[in-house]
């Protein structure tokens, strides 16, 4: 068991050392701090202590992704997660550009990204809850899983809650930033070209689309973080980690 605990703690303390504090200090405020005496070995850690350390490291681990995206230009200036106008409504936006409303289309795209940037910080509380509820067996499964096992675990246990958190924030942000108003204007303008929706599709739900894209962007960077740590965990080991294992 000690060897397995060592692997778990090694992985997640590497994660802790590679990332920054979770947005607005949420995890630090909500999770108890784990203090491990300098020079303590695995034998000096109980399963409860190890579990607390892993949870704290996990909470810190998503901080980099949240801070990266939950700021001005977090989505807008990052081509990996930039939210594009969806294909379903490009007939509308293309028509608007032909009518000389290209600036309106650009503002619409910017406002979607701004809404996602405002929503992402709300993920901190959801991830903190997920980490608190994680069992030691869950942690072992993550370490022994594939390169994105931790990301898949987070997605499975947080997706519904994240959507519930993000959607009202996105809805408020799109309204405040003008995205919804702009989209309605685009609909009216392209009505002159005939047919607002391609192929008789249902009306496009802007807020759901932005919410899903915001979540995809967040999990994209959580996965990138996990892959990097798995590829070279010892290269990211902190002094704290070395003290824990006495090596």
């Amino acid at each position: 068991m000690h060897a397995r605990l060592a692997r778990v703690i090694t992985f997640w303390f590497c994660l802790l050392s590679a990332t920054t504090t979770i947005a607005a200090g949420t995890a630090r405020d909500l999770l108890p701090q784990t203090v491990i005496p300098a020079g303590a070995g695995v034998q000096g850690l109980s399963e409860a202590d190890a579990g607390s350390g892993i949870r704290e490291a996990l909470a810190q681990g998503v901080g980099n992704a949240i801070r990266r995206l939950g700021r001005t230009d977090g989505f807008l200036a990052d081509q990996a997660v930039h939210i594009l106008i969806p294909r379903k409504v490009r007939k509308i936006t293309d028509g608007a550009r032909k009518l000389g409303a290209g600036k309106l289309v650009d503002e619409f795209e910017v406002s979607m990204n701004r809404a996602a940037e405002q929503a992402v910080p709300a993920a901190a509380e959801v991830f903190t809850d997920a980490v608190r509820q994680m069992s030691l067996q869950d942690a072992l499964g993550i370490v022994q899983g594939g390169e994105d096992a931790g990301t898949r675990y987070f997605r499975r246990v947080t997706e519904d809650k994240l959507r519930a958190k993000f959607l009202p924030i996105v809805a408020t942000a799109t309204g405040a930033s003008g995205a919804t108003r702009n989209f309605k204007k685009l609909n009216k303008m392209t009505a002159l070209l005939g047919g607002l929706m391609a192929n008789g599709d249902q009306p496009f739900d802007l807020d759901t689309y932005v919410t899903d894209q915001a979540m995809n962007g967040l999990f994209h960077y959580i996965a990138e973080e996990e892959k990097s740590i798995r590829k070279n965990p010892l290269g990211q080991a902190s002094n704290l980690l070395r003290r824990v294992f006495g090596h």
Side-chain angles (χ1 to χ4, degrees):
M1 173 58 76
H2 288 323
R4 299 174 74 198
L5 285 175
R7 293 180 61 198
V8 177
I9 300 169
T10 298
F11 177 78
W12 289 118
F13 269 106
C14 288
L15 181 60
L16 175 60
S17 68
T19 56
T20 55
T21 302
I22 205 163
T26 302
R28 183 177 63 252
D29 295 338
L30 295 181
L31 287 179
Q33 299 297 304
T34 301
V35 179
I36 302 175
V42 175
Q43 289 77 9
L45 294 174
S46 67
E47 289 190 12
D49 289 337
S52 295
I54 294 164
R55 293 183 183 96
E56 183 178 342
L58 276 168
Q60 297 288 342
V62 298
N64 194 44
I66 292 174
R67 294 188 65 212
R68 180 171 190 155
L69 298 176
R71 58 183 176 83
T72 300
D73 290 339
F75 278 87
L76 186 65
D78 189 335
Q79 293 304 308
V81 296
H82 179 91
I83 300 176
L84 299 170
I85 293 174
R87 293 180 180 179
K88 181 176 286 189
V89 299
R90 285 179 191 169
K91 179 179 179 180
I92 298 173
T93 55
D94 289 347
R97 289 189 185 280
K98 291 178 181 179
L99 291 173
K103 183 178 180 180
L104 190 61
V105 175
D106 292 339
E107 290 175 354
F108 173 51
E109 186 165 334
V110 168
S111 62
M112 289 191 298
N113 285 271
R114 292 287 185 246
E117 291 161 6
Q118 291 181 44
V120 162
E125 182 179 354
V126 175
F127 279 115
T128 296
D129 289 342
V131 169
R132 278 180 152 180
Q133 296 168 15
M134 185 187 66
S135 68
L136 185 57
Q137 192 61 41
D138 289 330
L140 289 168
I142 289 170
V143 174
Q144 296 166 355
E147 66 177 7
D148 65 341
T151 305
R152 286 186 281 108
Y153 168 82
F154 272 133
R155 188 144 206 165
R156 175 171 58 84
V157 302
T158 67
E159 191 166 31
D160 291 342
K161 292 179 180 179
L162 281 177
R163 184 172 286 107
K165 281 276 189 183
F166 281 15
L167 190 56
I169 297 172
V170 167
T172 298
T174 53
S177 66
T180 301
R181 295 193 303 273
N182 291 345
F183 181 67
K184 290 180 179 179
K185 290 177 183 177
L186 293 174
N187 277 337
K188 292 179 180 179
M189 293 176 66
T190 52
L192 298 174
L193 302 178
L196 299 184
M197 290 293 168
N199 302 320
D201 290 341
Q202 293 296 313
F204 173 65
D205 189 332
L206 171 67
D207 295 335
T208 296
Y209 171 74
V210 174
T211 294
D212 289 343
Q213 294 302 305
M215 291 171 55
N216 289 341
L218 181 58
F219 284 114
H220 168 79
Y221 275 114
I222 291 174
E224 289 300 302
E225 183 88 5
E226 181 177 5
K227 289 176 185 177
S228 176
I229 293 170
R230 286 183 184 276
K231 183 177 180 180
N232 186 25
L234 294 181
Q236 303 184 59
S238 65
N239 289 331
L240 173 60
L241 179 61
R242 296 188 182 96
R243 290 199 304 270
V244 168
F245 291 101
H247 296 302

